[in-house]
Amino acid sequence: MATYILKRLFLMIPIFLGITVISFAVLHLAPGAPTEMQTMMQPKVSLEARARLNAIYGLDKPLPIQYFDWLKRLVRFDFGRSFSSDNRPVQEKIMERLPVTLFINILSLVLILVVAIPIGILSAVHRYSLFDKATTLFVFIGFAAPTFWLALLLMLVFGVHLDWLPISGIKSLNYEYLGFWGKTVDLGRHLILPVLLSAFGGLAGLSRYMRSNMLEVIRQDYILTARAKGLPERVVIYKHALRNALLPVVTVLGLSIPGLIGGSVIFESIFAIPGMGQLFYGAVMARDYPVVMGELVIGAVLTLIGNLVADISYALVDPRIRVR
């Protein structure tokens, strides 16, 4: 296993470089340079001024040289400075937003696991029952409903009409004056809608995935043998069938790690949450190349780590699998 992990770690290096090359090229070849975005509302800015800005940002160099300059900084864990007016280091901007995004996505991941796996098991065990049909309808809604539409619907119902939950930000204006429990409740009320929205799509997909795996497993001969021996149904399902049914789910969970950032763009923008998703959206719109590349690098690393974790978990969950 140790040799396999080392091989995978070395293999990650060319894959990571390939991802960064493609991302860097696509980002710089997209229409709208940073200097154009910054001066588009100022028609009096001369071409010489834009050329000086390009020279300051290093955008006057050929694209391969710009990439290698960026890569040399990355080796030193330096993402550069933002092109925005604050000109702050990219690491600083990302690190101050990272905790919020991680916290929300960890909550949503826990919610998905706690709800989706039992739903999938019960749907498979009680196939074609009223519960199975209701969860199937729920899954179709989860797949079909656009995230932004669902977010607006939740905000309209729970935030505007019922006035139960806040619809933007993560803190109230009087947050600093609240006690410990007051701050906890205030934070929780602000996070309910974003966490629900973040978990909804994944919950629908994982429950359906769990149902299909469970159905396939409970048809296997060893399950029929276990039932024929008179084992209680609870033991057959939760001791013998569940472990094998979880194998593909482990893979899906490993691959869902990069979604911690990617999926945050929509709900953080809609709910005005100061996280990495909102930062990424703003950086893309402003063509803030260093910030965009910084977040893409983190996404690429999470993707590679997710794949590795999925493969290792696969081998750990199923003793029949031995990695050489």
Side-chain angles (χ1 to χ4, degrees):
M1 178 63 82
T3 306
Y4 170 74
I5 294 175
L6 283 176
K7 286 181 180 177
R8 289 293 307 270
L9 289 174
F10 281 113
L11 186 61
M12 282 182 179
I13 297 174
I15 296 175
F16 173 76
L17 290 176
I19 293 173
T20 58
V21 167
I22 294 173
S23 302
F24 196 88
V26 170
L27 184 62
H28 284 72
L29 295 177
T35 50
E36 293 177 10
M37 303 301 292
Q38 292 177 8
T39 58
M40 63 187 305
M41 302 301 291
Q42 303 174 27
K44 292 184 179 180
V45 175
S46 63
L47 292 177
E48 291 76 12
R50 288 187 179 180
R52 283 198 296 273
L53 275 176
N54 281 328
I56 292 172
Y57 294 152
L59 300 175
D60 55 339
K61 301 175 183 176
L63 198 56
I65 295 178
Q66 291 185 45
Y67 173 75
F68 283 110
D69 288 343
W70 174 82
L71 195 60
K72 282 191 289 186
R73 290 196 300 271
L74 183 64
V75 172
R76 303 192 301 269
F77 299 100
D78 179 9
F79 288 113
R81 286 183 170 273
S82 170
F83 287 171
S84 62
S85 56
D86 57 13
N87 194 230
R88 293 170 60 198
V90 174
Q91 294 100 314
E92 193 176 301
K93 299 184 77 166
I94 290 178
M95 290 309 296
E96 73 180 21
R97 303 236 182 176
L98 186 61
V100 175
T101 300
L102 283 180
F103 185 61
I104 292 176
N105 283 282
I106 288 173
L107 287 179
S108 66
L109 195 59
V110 171
L111 181 63
I112 290 172
L113 286 175
V114 169
V115 177
I117 291 179
I119 286 178
I121 295 171
L122 292 175
S123 295
V125 174
H126 304 287
R127 189 168 54 150
Y128 303 137
S129 65
L130 180 61
F131 178 80
D132 185 31
K133 292 175 181 176
T135 54
T136 301
L137 177 64
F138 169 75
V139 167
F140 281 130
I141 293 175
F143 281 132
T147 305
F148 68 91
W149 178 83
L150 190 60
L152 293 177
L153 183 65
L154 292 174
M155 293 166 72
L156 190 65
V157 174
F158 295 101
V160 177
H161 287 298
L162 299 177
D163 196 22
W164 287 354
L165 300 170
I167 58 175
S168 66
I170 58 172
K171 297 177 183 176
S172 298
L173 293 176
N174 62 341
Y175 179 82
E176 300 300 332
Y177 302 101
L178 298 174
F180 174 76
W181 291 112
K183 289 181 178 179
T184 304
V185 171
D186 184 67
L187 190 62
R189 292 180 70 244
H190 280 82
L191 291 180
I192 287 177
L193 292 183
V195 170
L196 282 178
L197 186 68
S198 175
F200 191 67
L203 196 151
L206 192 66
S207 63
R208 183 58 28 169
Y209 208 68
M210 188 66 204
R211 178 185 183 274
S212 63
N213 293 333
M214 202 68 186
L215 281 176
E216 185 178 345
V217 171
I218 59 179
R219 293 177 185 140
Q220 299 294 318
D221 291 340
Y222 70 93
I223 296 297
L224 297 177
T225 304
R227 283 173 172 160
K229 287 182 177 179
L231 290 177
E233 185 66 12
R234 182 174 55 83
V235 176
V236 173
I237 295 299
Y238 293 103
K239 184 176 181 182
H240 296 282
L242 180 59
R243 187 171 183 177
N244 288 328
L246 282 174
L247 288 175
V249 176
V250 170
T251 306
V252 172
L253 285 178
L255 296 176
S256 67
I257 293 177
L260 292 175
I261 294 177
S264 306
V265 175
I266 296 177
F267 71 79
E268 284 186 4
S269 300
I270 293 175
F271 289 103
I273 295 174
M276 288 186 64
Q278 189 191 53
L279 178 66
F280 183 78
Y281 177 76
V284 170
M285 298 304 292
R287 304 296 189 274
D288 194 347
Y289 293 162
V291 174
V292 176
M293 284 304 298
E295 295 220 20
L296 287 176
V297 164
I298 293 176
V301 171
L302 289 176
T303 303
L304 295 173
I305 292 175
N307 284 327
L308 181 63
V309 169
D311 290 343
I312 295 173
S313 303
Y314 212 78
L316 292 176
V317 171
D318 189 354
R320 296 171 300 177
I321 299 174
R322 288 289 179 268
V323 181
R324 296 181 179 176

